[in-house]
Amino acid sequence: MDFISTRGGAPVSAGSAILKGIASDGGLYVPSFFPILTSEDIDKMCAMEYYERSAFVLGKFLTDYTEEELLTATKAAYERFDGDPAPLVKVDDSTYVLELFHGPTLAFKDIALTLLPHLMTLARKKANSSDKTLILVATSGDTGKAALEGFKDVEGTEIVVIYPSKGVSDMQKLQMQTTTGANTHVIGIEGNFDDAQTAVKTIFKDKEAEEEFAKLGLKLSSANSINWGRLVPQIVYYVSSYVDLYASGEVEDGEKINFVVPTGNFGNILAGYYAKKMGIPINKLIVASNVNNVLTDFFTEGRYDVNRPFHKTMSPSMDILISSNLERLLFEFGDRKAEFVRDLMEKLDLYGKYELDLDKLEEKLGEFLGYHSTEEETSDAIDNFYDMFDYLLDTHTAVAVSAYYNYTADTEDDTKTVIVSTASPYKFAADVYESLTQKRENDSFKAVKKLSNYTGIEIPEQIAELSSLPILHDTVIDKSEIKETIFKIYRG
Ligand SMILES: *Cc1c(COP(=O)(O)O)cnc(C)c1O
């Protein structure tokens, strides 16, 4: 299968789309069509383990990889999880939580980032590439650590992670700063996530920088969800959760389900839309935002406008105003016409906004609904969910739960619904603990202990060990110095 750029450039193979990360015209790679999963495919998947389902779905898109390559890669990736990588937990008659946080860094990013290094290594072999791949990552917290863990000491790769120094949780920061590995670099900036992401995107478009990197034997790639190799593993858990519901008789054959997704860069929920395009019966995709609710406004009013205050919230991985993956959705909305996307992206660059016809948006993308949650509602959702179901939510998943409450209050929809859970509550222990008890504990490690004492839920090893690991990366720079700092690392 070929991959095409949302901005019109030449088609490439899956391997090159994954190696390049972003198209040279600045666009994002999308599959040239969406393969359909037949009912036989679904039946077949019922008997498969997660890694086999993953290789099966990936095989529909990554046709330049062999079945054996994919199975070996998915097996190696998902062995790093604590049990099933994507278990579904039923909380009441019609609500399920899809837990995606059982990987090495306790966030859903692990699902893709444990696999991406394998897909890249295979692609480098196929391309006979002698250059090292330099992975450049902008992170709002969780991608950084997941990418570092995925790529650390992977032969032929270097990784540089850029994060907003004051815009991530203490645990997220410590997780990154304590990363080992000879090829890992972590840089904090004075600025927010959008500054980091914009800087990275600018470097990708910079021809001179590309030549400079080439002289150093480096070829840039991305581990952000702009990379197709990040998105495709995420389609799998939407498919897999439907297969689980169907296999266990929770839904009938073809019965539509809703997904509620805590959303930032729009990568997670976009994968749900792609699963729908492959034939998974999905009713609504509920886009849950925190008070940085650009997407709520977009889906309710048709206007995307980043000219608004940026809020720091207790769900930092969703503190984003420019959701990169929306570009891929606009490509579908505009009937896959590159001019349409180019025009909107130019407006976004110049004015920070663009507008679509609302009726057309509802007609073409009516499965999407935007809801947002205030900080107070998010706290209440944590408290309520724990009271009602004895189930502990993290701050991001709580945004989804709260958005879902708002949605059902509006619509009285009783369709079976999967809440996509994106992180372990222990990554955001202070806010989770305060939501439950109204008591603030600012010391993160004390908050973890108190949360564990209060709930009886075991502290994950990855969190427990953090307090004793040495800080290996403590660079903080101004946002204007990003490019030069990266070059300094490699020029020595
Ligand atoms: C990254 C992240 C999100 C947002 O996902 P997107 O794919 O960027 O929309 C939500 N919750 C957590 C915990 C995350 O790490």
Side-chain angles (χ1 to χ4, degrees):
M1 173 185 294
D2 276 344
F3 286 77
I4 54 179
S5 160
T6 49
R7 305 207 188 164
V12 299
S13 68
S16 355
I18 290 171
L19 263 192
K20 290 177 67 146
I22 187 166
S24 348
D25 57 8
L28 308 185
Y29 285 116
V30 290
S32 50
F33 66 95
F34 288 98
I36 296 296
L37 293 166
T38 62
S39 37
E40 289 90 81
D41 288 339
I42 301 287
D43 285 338
K44 247 192 254 167
M45 274 189 278
C46 286
M48 291 182 189
E49 287 192 46
Y50 189 84
Y51 80 92
E52 297 168 311
R53 289 177 185 174
S54 178
F56 185 79
V57 173
L58 259 58
K60 303 267 176 195
F61 293 98
L62 312 186
T63 50
D64 46 341
Y65 291 68
T66 66
E67 198 183 323
E68 200 194 325
E69 284 174 335
L70 292 176
L71 272 171
T72 310
T74 56
K75 188 153 199 277
Y78 297 130
E79 264 169 9
R80 297 187 61 193
F81 280 65
D82 184 10
D84 183 350
L88 257 187
V89 179
K90 184 172 184 171
V91 291
D92 71 12
D93 282 346
S94 61
T95 318
Y96 307 80
V97 180
L98 174 61
E99 296 184 346
L100 300 176
F101 54 79
H102 298 292
T105 77
L106 309 171
F108 92 97
K109 309 288 198 299
D110 287 327
I111 300 263
L113 283 164
T114 50
L115 186 54
L116 183 65
H118 295 282
L119 298 179
M120 277 198 179
T121 304
L122 289 164
R124 288 181 73 244
K125 273 202 203 118
K126 288 174 201 298
N128 261 324
S129 168
S130 57
D131 287 333
K132 274 194 174 180
T133 305
L134 169 56
I135 310 288
L136 209 52
V137 179
T139 184
S140 57
D142 291 326
T143 301
K145 180 59 175 178
L148 288 162
E149 280 306 309
F151 282 96
K152 111 179 152 192
D153 292 328
V154 170
E155 213 189 302
T157 66
E158 286 287 323
I159 173 162
V160 178
V161 169
I162 298 158
Y163 72 96
S165 166
K166 297 193 185 78
V168 300
S169 82
D170 291 346
M171 285 299 170
Q172 288 177 317
K173 188 188 276 194
L174 265 180
Q175 278 189 307
M176 291 190 276
Q177 291 182 325
T178 55
T179 307
T180 55
N183 63 341
T184 57
H185 305 275
V186 181
I187 302 170
I189 61 159
E190 302 285 355
N192 61 35
F193 170 70
D194 289 308
D195 296 322
Q197 176 160 258
T198 304
V200 166
K201 279 190 179 169
T202 309
I203 296 174
F204 273 106
K205 278 189 273 186
D206 183 339
K207 296 280 176 241
E208 256 170 62
E210 190 181 337
E211 281 166 28
E212 279 296 297
F213 280 124
K215 280 185 206 151
L216 296 163
L218 296 166
K219 221 177 208 147
L220 283 185
S221 187
S222 166
N224 281 104
S225 54
I226 52 176
N227 191 323
W228 171 251
R230 267 288 299 278
L231 278 185
V232 65
Q234 295 177 179
I235 301 174
V236 179
Y237 50 76
Y238 289 92
V239 173
S240 178
S241 52
Y242 172 73
V243 171
D244 279 343
L245 289 172
Y246 168 63
S248 60
E250 294 284 322
V251 300
E252 319 235 327
D253 190 4
E255 182 178 339
K256 287 187 174 180
I257 54 178
N258 297 328
F259 284 95
V260 192
V261 187
T263 297
N265 224 353
F266 207 73
N268 193 348
I269 199 161
L270 182 73
Y273 175 70
Y274 287 171
K276 184 176 181 193
K277 292 224 152 232
M278 295 180 79
I280 297 301
I282 292 176
N283 175 42
K284 294 292 178 197
L285 289 164
I286 298 157
V287 184
S289 303
N290 63 29
V291 286
N292 294 295
N293 56 353
V294 191
L295 288 167
T296 315
D297 292 350
F298 175 68
F299 285 107
T300 48
E301 293 160 20
R303 196 173 334 110
Y304 195 86
D305 188 349
V306 303
N307 303 299
R308 61 177 74 210
F310 176 88
H311 301 285
K312 281 208 278 186
T313 72
M314 63 175 119
S315 46
S317 300
M318 299 160 66
D319 290 347
I320 291 177
L321 295 180
I322 304 177
S323 299
S324 298
N325 273 296
L326 202 59
E327 176 165 346
R328 287 185 163 109
L329 191 68
L330 296 171
F331 187 66
E332 305 302 328
F333 173 82
D335 299 321
R336 307 201 124 207
K337 289 200 188 75
E339 314 87 74
F340 176 79
V341 174
R342 281 201 303 263
D343 176 53
L344 294 184
M345 290 303 112
E346 204 173 290
K347 287 190 175 125
L348 185 65
D349 267 354
L350 288 173
Y351 313 113
K353 59 181 167 187
Y354 57 79
E355 194 164 351
L356 305 181
D357 182 86
L358 188 58
D359 289 338
K360 214 167 150 195
L361 183 63
E362 279 167 7
E363 178 201 317
K364 292 199 138 175
L365 298 174
E367 57 272 76
F368 284 99
L369 290 170
Y371 279 86
H372 83 275
S373 170
T374 64
E375 292 291 271
E376 200 187 337
E377 287 174 321
T378 304
S379 271
D380 287 349
I382 292 173
D383 198 21
N384 276 334
F385 223 68
Y386 189 70
D387 269 357
M388 282 197 311
F389 306 120
D390 207 17
Y391 188 97
L392 191 61
L393 298 167
D394 96 287
T395 47
H396 302 74
T397 312
V399 169
V401 164
S402 158
Y404 179 55
Y405 288 158
N406 292 338
Y407 165 75
T408 49
D410 262 10
T411 59
E412 296 179 17
D413 181 10
D414 60 2
T415 305
K416 301 217 168 80
T417 296
V418 174
I419 313 275
V420 177
S421 173
T422 50
S424 156
Y426 281 109
K427 282 189 98 162
F428 308 95
D431 290 315
V432 172
Y433 181 69
E434 187 177 2
S435 302
L436 293 176
T437 63
Q438 272 65 55
K439 290 188 205 120
R440 184 76 198 171
E441 173 52 70
N442 276 322
D443 181 298
S444 298
F445 289 103
K446 283 188 188 150
V448 164
K449 285 228 176 69
K450 286 187 174 172
L451 185 59
S452 170
N453 287 340
Y454 188 83
T455 61
I457 298 171
E458 204 186 326
I459 303 169
E461 177 58 26
Q462 297 96 312
I463 294 285
E465 70 179 11
L466 272 182
S467 61
S468 59
L469 298 179
I471 304 264
L472 302 174
H473 311 267
D474 57 2
T475 310
V476 178
I477 59 167
D478 188 76
K479 65 181 179 187
S480 63
E481 301 165 344
I482 295 176
K483 184 168 142 185
E484 131 201 2
T485 307
I486 297 170
F487 275 115
K488 237 184 251 161
I489 296 173
Y490 294 105
R491 287 210 193 94

